[in-house]
Amino acid sequence: KNQVEQSPQSLIILEGKNCTLQCNYTVSPFSNLRWYKQDTGRGPVSLTIMTFSENTKSNGRYTATLDADTKQSSLHITASQLSDSASYICVVSDRGSTLGRLYFGRGTQLTVWP
Amino acid sequence: EADIYQTPRYLVIGTGKKITLECSQTMGHDKMYWYQQDPGMELHLIHYSYGVNSTEKGDLSSESTVSRIRTEHFPLTLESARPSHTSQYLCASSPAPGGGYEQYFGPGTRLTVT
């Protein structure tokens, strides 16, 4: 069964600190992995997308890593800001359908305190 | 920022009423999707469309229906709303088939059925 598991479920950090969010998946055949940021009451916004051959990708203070062998990904946030408070969702796409089927994790709820 | 819009953003309605959630995009994307998301849970695909006059049911069974008469418009209808329909509904679009393409999400409609 194709699944995406994220940890931790929630995280509280102080402004300026770094943090790392984890994602494990069993989706096969693998196409790509994305990290989305979802603010409360809003739709998800893409942060990074990585294919099988990419093992790291950065977007400003966000750096995602991918280990396709162990089927793990992480999202590292550097020098956190209050605006980073949101849910971070790991999404994996399979190669087996023309639909572009996405498998969503439940997200990590990050709260940044001043 | 993606050009995909949803209205209304919030809707509180009584049981038994008929409702239509609007979704439109100005990017000319062929693929469009409807997702349902409960608090703290992953997104579930309920409907998708490959293009005009194409609609399919997603992974999660839903009593809602959709139509795709124009490329830019993908409304979702509930003939008789029930409290179990209370949820957030997210619309998305992508430029082409296949999992390698980005999905762009609208801001969502938060539906509450009393």
Side-chain angles (χ1 to χ4, degrees):
Chain A
K1 180 181 177 182
N2 289 322
Q3 285 186 311
V4 178
E5 301 286 342
Q6 292 187 244
S7 62
Q9 184 176 350
S10 62
L11 181 62
I12 300 174
I13 62 174
L14 295 177
E15 186 179 15
K17 297 297 185 182
N18 304 335
C19 67
T20 300
L21 315 180
Q22 302 291 343
C23 173
N24 296 332
Y25 63 91
T26 60
V27 176
S28 182
F30 174 85
S31 176
N32 58 67
L33 184 146
R34 311 149 192 234
W35 283 93
Y36 282 88
K37 178 186 179 186
Q38 185 177 22
D39 293 314
T40 301
R42 307 287 298 182
V45 175
S46 179
L47 295 174
T48 64
I49 179 170
M50 289 182 292
T51 60
F52 185 88
S53 60
E54 297 174 296
N55 55 23
T56 188
K57 184 164 280 189
S58 292
N59 178 2
R61 294 179 297 102
Y62 302 102
T63 300
T65 64
L66 172 65
D67 186 333
D69 291 331
T70 62
K71 298 187 177 182
Q72 295 179 325
S73 176
S74 65
L75 180 69
H76 186 74
I77 304 175
T78 304
S80 61
Q81 301 176 355
L82 298 179
S83 59
D84 291 333
S85 294
S87 178
Y88 291 83
I89 303 172
C90 178
V91 184
V92 181
S93 174
D94 72 17
R95 234 179 333 110
S97 69
T98 57
L99 168 65
R101 182 68 54 86
L102 301 184
Y103 298 89
F104 291 82
R106 293 187 175 184
T108 292
Q109 183 65 48
L110 175 66
T111 304
V112 181
W113 283 2
Chain B
E1 191 92 7
D3 296 322
I4 181 164
Y5 309 97
Q6 292 185 245
T7 57
R9 292 293 317 282
Y10 305 92
L11 179 61
V12 180
I13 201 163
T15 297
K17 300 292 185 182
K18 177 180 179 178
I19 59 170
T20 296
L21 307 185
E22 301 288 349
C23 175
S24 60
Q25 49 96 5
T26 59
M27 297 173 283
H29 290 170
D30 285 326
K31 303 287 283 297
M32 294 191 75
Y33 313 80
W34 276 103
Y35 293 90
Q36 186 173 341
Q37 184 183 30
D38 293 322
M41 302 297 287
E42 63 268 46
L43 277 72
H44 289 286
L45 181 68
I46 52 174
H47 297 284
Y48 61 95
S49 168
Y50 286 112
V52 171
N53 294 326
S54 156
T55 61
E56 301 287 344
K57 291 190 177 295
D59 304 317
L60 182 68
S61 175
S62 174
E63 293 167 347
S64 58
T65 60
V66 293
S67 63
R68 189 87 182 276
I69 299 173
R70 303 198 315 266
T71 297
E72 63 271 22
H73 197 212
F74 191 39
L76 180 146
T77 298
L78 275 166
E79 290 293 332
S80 179
R82 294 208 298 268
S84 61
H85 296 140
T86 295
S87 189
Q88 171 146 320
Y89 292 84
L90 291 161
C91 181
S93 72
S94 66
Y101 294 90
E102 187 63 76
Q103 282 195 19
Y104 298 91
F105 287 85
T109 293
R110 169 70 64 185
L111 173 65
T112 302
V113 183
T114 60

